[in-house]
């Protein structure tokens, strides 16, 4: 794994955790918050790839 890939995946995980945490704190059930975090992490990878690389 290259350093570029590691940075992108790390940033995607951080984004997913933040979005999932904020979704949970807004009153959404845990399953919905996990789904929101996964979707945002997955959706951020192509965007981060174009922005960073």
């Amino acid at each position: 794994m290259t350093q570029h890939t590691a940075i992108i995946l790390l940033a995607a995980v951080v984004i997913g955790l933040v979005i999932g945490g904020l979704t949970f704190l807004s009153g959404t059930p845990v399953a919905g918050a996990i789904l929101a975090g996964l979707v945002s992490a997955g959706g951020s990878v192509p965007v981060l790839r174009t922005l960073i690389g």
Side-chain angles (χ1 to χ4, degrees):
M1 177 184 307
T2 65
Q3 184 178 8
H4 182 263
T5 303
I7 290 172
I8 288 174
L9 291 178
L10 180 64
V13 167
V14 169
I15 290 170
L17 287 173
V18 168
I19 296 298
L22 289 174
T23 303
F24 176 72
L25 290 176
S26 72
T28 305
V30 175
I34 291 172
L35 185 60
L38 288 173
V39 168
S40 64
S44 68
V45 171
V47 175
L48 289 169
R49 186 171 180 260
T50 58
L51 287 176
I52 295 175

